[in-house]
Structures are given as structure tokens and as C-alpha cells.
Amino acid sequence: MIPETAMFGIPQWLWTIAVIIVKIAIVLGGVMLHVAYATYFERKVIGRMQNRLGPMVVGPYGILQPIADGIKSFFKEDIIPTNADKPIFFMAPILGLMAALSSLAVVPFFNGFVVANINIGLLFLFAMSSLAVYGVILGGWSSNSKYSFLGALRASAQVISYEVPLGLSLVGVMLMAGSLNITDIVNAQSRYPGGMYITAQWLGFFVFVVSAIAETNRSPFDLPEAETELIAGFFTEYSGMRFALFFMAEYTGMIIMCSIAVLCFLGGWTLPPFVLKLMPFLGAVPGVVWFAMKLYVCIFFYYWIRATLPRYRYDQLMSIGWKVLIPLALVNIVITSLIKMLVHPTGTP
Amino acid sequence: MINQAFFFYFSAVIVATSLLAITRKNVMHGVLYMLLLFFHIAGLYLFLNAEFISAVQVIVYAGAIMVLFLFVIMLLNLRDDIRKKQFIATWPMGLLVSSGILMVILMAMLTIKTGAHGVWGIAQLERVTQTVAIGTVMYTQYLFPFEVASLVLLVAIIGAIVLAKKRIK
């Protein structure tokens, strides 16, 4: 490698690495803040929906609650079960959080701001979301407890089943955009007349939303941690900071699923062309604001579902995945490819 | 230079983890070493400009197949097996056979001659991206073998269902 002096006498490659590190720091900081306040937001929203106030004690309207929770779990005793497989027990929550956080590398938050703009962005996201299950399985197995173990078994079967419709539901988007690069997908959407792929891919969006909820083990598909049957499922034996790491992984996973929904179906940081034509002054608002607003709507939707729907039974969960969602996703792929073949017989638009 | 350094790192870790995977008495640890192995193979693919294969390697092997492995292993009664002195008594035979295969591969590698290069050079791949290239080749030039492979998989799936199905009388 030839060191070229670029700015301030710093070699080019060092400059590149520095920019990447700063980007990673910004993304991690921003997302971790969102994770902390997603818990607060959830408790507030569900509280209101159930006619309660939610956290009100720490700070005005309980606004400092997540910080208090963080400090508390950091200083709590870390209890390890006697017969636990210690290395795996220590590793499991970190593995889960690592998989969730590395997905953030390919998520573009606004035009040009992405840590790694790679051509297989969407595939990378699939890969990382399929790795998130290792934290759950290994945590459940190594705890040497029946509740954890059953939670882990349920989680692994559920995540494997729902990965299939999750991947298939996005194939329609890939076909329409003709790319796996997420930035390209968003740009293709802004060229598309409707401005958002949800208009044409509503079936894919439906399948995606349902399987994303199952993939992140959220209610009504939170069978791996069903309190009434399994205490807390796979993290029954965890305490203190490791317990908090599992929570962070779950909420980061949720934010990533919402980001994929926003980027692939809701137009990412762009606005539909007809809206911009109607109200051109909206174009002056930075893209990250639109991205964040769409993201908050999606996260709110998660909470709304949690407060509304009861938990599914395990066999119902499996039959929804295999008998409803996968056929629907396949139908969506066939229809999308047929229409694309008729509209663009030569290939990529 | 940096490519070579990474290649040596990846191949060293691949050899080390595959040895660890087959010598651990705790099957769970063996599987985890294998997971590490799959990641490093994906890394090797990435250095060969095969980003699509690399991602599929992680999704299919690390994300799906290894999870199924773990699923099966968790259902075994592991804690009794660990006390056994040795799992396989015939390992010297296995070592003999695998070193024979290694010899054949080494001899083949020393005399290998690469054929004519196809149209998909690195410059061409960078222009159209590897995913497009694989899709184009697979669905035009190699469509028939591809469909045959998918039929074989379909047969396997139906066979598994038939075997697992409860007979309803």
C-alpha cells in the first residue's frame, strides 16, 4: 500500500479508517440511545393503552427511567448457575448482541451515510439476523435449566421457520429494484411512481411484518420467553448486566427489522415524488428526519400489537409460518416476476 | 501483501478450528468451533471477490444448518456421553483414509492446469456485481442442471415428510 498524504499530512488509508471509526461511533451511540429509550417508549405506550401511566417516578414523566435501569443492572450481582457451561454461558448474550449490532454496518440512515455500502447489503442483513438466534440457543442450553432449555428449543425452531418467509418476502423488493444494495433499493423507490414499494409489494410487506415480529421473538410470537409457561424462557438464569445484554439485543433486533421495513418498503429517507411535487418545501428537511419518523411509526406498531393481541399457541405459530406466510410469499414472487417480465422484458429497469 | 496475510490468517484458523471441532469431547463445543470455521470460510470467499457465495455461506451453513445441528445435539443426552473415554474406536482407519484422500488432492494440485478463462473476469464482475452474474449464468447457461438439483432437493423434502408422517387410520 502506497501512503499518499491527503489532508493535514495524514496518509489516505489512515484517514479512511478514521472516518469509518467515527461513523461506527455515531451509529452505535445513536442506536444505543434509541434502544434505551425504546424500552421507555414501550412502557409508556403500553401503559397508556392499558389505562395506566407507565414509569413516572425517575425524572419528569419518568424520562430518566432507562438510565436508572441501566445503572441498576450494571451493579447487580452476576449469578451463574452451578452446572452451567461457563464459557458458553458468558459468551451467549455477547454473541446475540454482536450479531444484532453488526447488522447496523449496512443500514443507510440517510443518503450516503452508511458504514459499509456493500453490494450484498440485504443478504448481509439476513445472515446477521439468522445469527442472532445463537445467543438465544446457547444461552438457553448452557444455563442447565429446564425452562431455559425449552425456551431455547422453541426459539431455534421458530427462528429457522420464520427466516424462510422473511427472506422470501423481500425477494419481491429485490426483483423490483434489481439490486441487493440497500442504497440502490431506496434510490430505485424514489424513481418508482408510487415512491414506496409498499404500494406494489403490500403482500410482501404483510409477510415481512409478521415474520419480523416472529424473528425478533416479540409478542404475540414470544413463545421462547412465554412468562406463563417458561418464567422468562431462555434467559431465566441470567442476571445483572448479561440479562440487560439480552434485552439490548432484542431491542436492537427490533430496530433493525423496522429499519429494513422502512428502507425496503417505505422509501427510506426519501419522500414519494408526488408528495414532493405537492409540497416542495418538504424537500429541505434532512432525510434522516424522515427515516427516523418512519422508524418510530414501525416501532410503535410493534408495541401496539403487543398491547392488543394475545399470545399464539406453538402449533398455531408453526402453521402460520409454513402454511400461510411461505405460500403467500411465493405467490408474491411469482406475480412480481411476471409483472416485471411484462413491463421490462429485457431485465433491469 | 495484505491479501496474503489475510489468506494465511484465514487458512490457519480454518485448519485449527476443524481440528478442534473433531477432537472436542463436548459436542456442543465442537459445533461452536465449526461455526467459527464457517465464518472463516466465508471470509476466504470474500477475499476471492465472491461476496454472494460468502453471504450465502453464512446464511445457509452458519444460520440454518448449524442451528439444526445444535437443535439435534441439545436433544441428545450429552452429559452422560462426556464421561465416555472415546467416541469412535476406529479413528486410525479414518485417519488413514483421509490422509490418502489428502495425498490424491495434493498430487492433483501439483499437476493442475487451469483452462481458458471465461467471460466473467474480475473487471466484468465488478461492473455487473456478482449476484447478477451468478443469476444470469445459472438461469440461462446452466438452467437444466440447476432444475435437476432442485428436483433432487424436492425428492428429499417429500421423502422426509413421508417418513415422519403419522399414519392416520
Side-chain angles (χ1 to χ4, degrees):
Chain A
M1 200 169 278
I2 311 142
E4 310 161 30
T5 42
M7 271 174 269
F8 314 119
I10 302 165
Q12 183 67 46
W13 60 273
L14 205 67
W15 195 250
T16 319
I17 292 174
V19 167
I20 291 175
I21 289 173
V22 168
K23 272 186 178 176
I24 291 174
I26 293 173
V27 169
L28 271 188
V31 171
M32 277 317 180
L33 198 71
H34 274 78
V35 165
Y37 273 90
T39 59
Y40 171 74
F41 187 36
E42 172 166 32
R43 290 168 68 179
K44 273 288 183 198
V45 167
I46 291 181
R48 288 288 173 181
M49 282 179 180
Q50 294 166 347
N51 223 350
R52 294 183 285 118
L53 288 173
M56 286 297 278
V57 179
V58 192
Y61 292 96
I63 196 92
L64 299 175
Q65 187 67 43
I67 297 164
D69 284 345
I71 294 170
K72 184 190 79 173
S73 53
F74 193 77
F75 286 109
K76 271 185 114 172
E77 190 190 350
D78 189 16
I79 300 165
I80 302 155
T82 326
N83 278 329
D85 191 323
K86 285 205 184 62
I88 299 183
F89 188 82
F90 290 153
M91 211 173 59
I94 297 166
L95 210 63
L97 188 63
M98 194 188 74
L101 288 180
S102 28
S103 318
L104 291 171
V106 295
V107 174
F109 293 95
F110 54 91
N111 201 4
F113 187 85
V114 50
V115 176
N117 187 11
I118 56 176
N119 284 331
I120 48 159
L122 218 44
L123 282 181
F124 183 84
L125 282 177
F126 288 153
M128 288 304 140
S129 80
S130 64
L131 292 180
V133 71
Y134 278 103
V136 174
I137 298 180
L138 295 176
W141 179 82
S142 63
S143 303
N144 195 26
S145 146
K146 288 208 168 55
Y147 295 116
S148 307
F149 180 66
L150 285 173
L153 278 184
R154 282 185 177 185
S156 50
Q158 177 176 334
V159 170
I160 289 183
S161 308
Y162 276 85
E163 236 159 57
V164 182
L166 187 80
L168 290 178
S169 66
L170 286 171
V171 173
V173 171
M174 297 173 196
L175 282 169
M176 284 182 75
S179 175
L180 286 172
N181 186 317
I182 300 174
T183 309
D184 287 353
I185 289 175
V186 174
N187 289 333
Q189 281 181 78
S190 62
R191 287 195 300 272
Y192 179 72
M196 292 178 178
Y197 278 166
I198 188 174
T199 48
Q201 291 289 324
W202 51 273
L203 194 57
F205 185 66
F206 168 73
V207 174
F208 178 82
V209 166
V210 179
S211 21
I213 293 170
E215 183 86 2
T216 44
N217 295 331
R218 295 282 302 178
S219 176
F221 301 123
D222 56 347
L223 274 301
E225 45 193 279
E227 289 88 355
T228 42
E229 306 154 28
L230 295 176
I231 306 179
F234 56 90
F235 55 76
T236 305
E237 301 291 340
Y238 279 88
S239 55
M241 205 53 206
R242 292 180 205 285
F243 177 78
L245 284 180
F246 269 124
F247 253 84
M248 276 148 78
E250 183 178 328
Y251 280 86
T252 315
M254 218 166 80
I255 287 177
I256 283 159
M257 284 300 162
C258 291
S259 311
I260 302 178
V262 169
L263 291 165
C264 292
F265 293 101
L266 301 177
W269 59 84
T270 62
L271 280 180
F274 63 87
V275 175
L276 278 180
K277 200 173 277 176
L278 220 60
M279 292 175 277
F281 58 91
L282 286 179
V285 179
V288 68
V289 174
W290 299 123
F291 182 87
M293 276 169 68
K294 290 170 184 174
L295 189 75
Y296 298 156
V297 169
C298 288
I299 292 177
F300 176 77
F301 185 70
Y302 258 101
Y303 301 155
W304 189 10
I305 284 185
R306 185 181 163 186
T308 315
L309 293 177
R311 187 178 292 130
Y312 277 82
R313 224 169 50 218
Y314 200 72
D315 58 319
Q316 289 172 331
L317 168 91
M318 281 294 162
S319 62
I320 290 173
W322 289 98
K323 293 182 189 162
V324 180
L325 293 182
I326 293 180
L328 277 181
L330 288 173
V331 165
N332 183 43
I333 292 175
V334 172
I335 294 173
T336 312
S337 337
L338 276 178
I339 293 175
K340 180 161 182 182
M341 206 181 76
L342 292 175
V343 178
H344 298 287
T346 47
T348 43
Chain B
M1 177 57 204
I2 213 157
N3 278 4
Q4 271 176 358
F6 271 104
F7 174 78
F8 281 118
Y9 162 72
F10 281 126
S11 32
V13 174
I14 284 171
V15 171
T17 48
S18 33
L19 281 177
L20 282 169
I22 55 170
T23 49
R24 290 309 90 187
K25 208 168 238 179
N26 190 330
V27 191
M28 202 67 160
H29 294 174
V31 165
L32 289 180
Y33 280 119
M34 210 153 137
L35 184 67
L36 209 59
L37 165 75
F38 285 152
F39 275 108
H40 284 82
I41 292 178
L44 262 190
Y45 285 142
L46 215 53
F47 266 84
L48 293 170
N49 283 317
E51 74 252 8
F52 180 78
I53 311 260
S54 161
V56 169
Q57 163 86 16
V58 174
I59 294 172
V60 174
Y61 284 94
I65 291 181
M66 287 319 273
V67 176
L68 282 178
F69 268 40
L70 284 182
F71 198 82
V72 173
I73 286 168
M74 285 199 296
L75 294 173
L76 302 174
N77 204 352
L78 236 168
R79 305 192 199 251
D80 295 335
D81 287 347
I82 292 174
R83 289 194 209 105
K84 276 188 191 152
K85 206 171 164 225
Q86 200 169 50
F87 282 159
I88 314 160
T90 57
W91 69 268
M93 198 61 207
L95 187 66
L96 194 71
V97 172
S98 50
S99 39
I101 296 172
L102 182 68
M103 279 304 291
V104 172
I105 293 172
L106 279 181
M107 276 151 71
M109 268 168 66
L110 289 176
T111 56
I112 202 161
K113 284 194 185 71
T114 48
H117 288 283
V119 286
W120 299 103
I122 289 175
Q124 177 78 351
L125 278 184
E126 272 175 2
R127 205 167 53 78
V128 297
T129 74
Q130 209 217 354
T131 320
V132 174
I134 286 186
T136 316
V137 172
M138 206 176 257
Y139 284 98
T140 52
Q141 203 177 345
Y142 296 104
L143 182 64
F144 185 65
F146 178 74
E147 292 297 334
V148 169
S150 59
L151 258 184
V152 170
L153 284 175
L154 185 67
V155 169
I157 293 170
I158 293 173
I161 292 172
V162 168
L163 285 177
K165 210 180 94 186
K166 283 187 194 127
R167 302 252 179 267
I168 301 158
K169 282 172 189 165

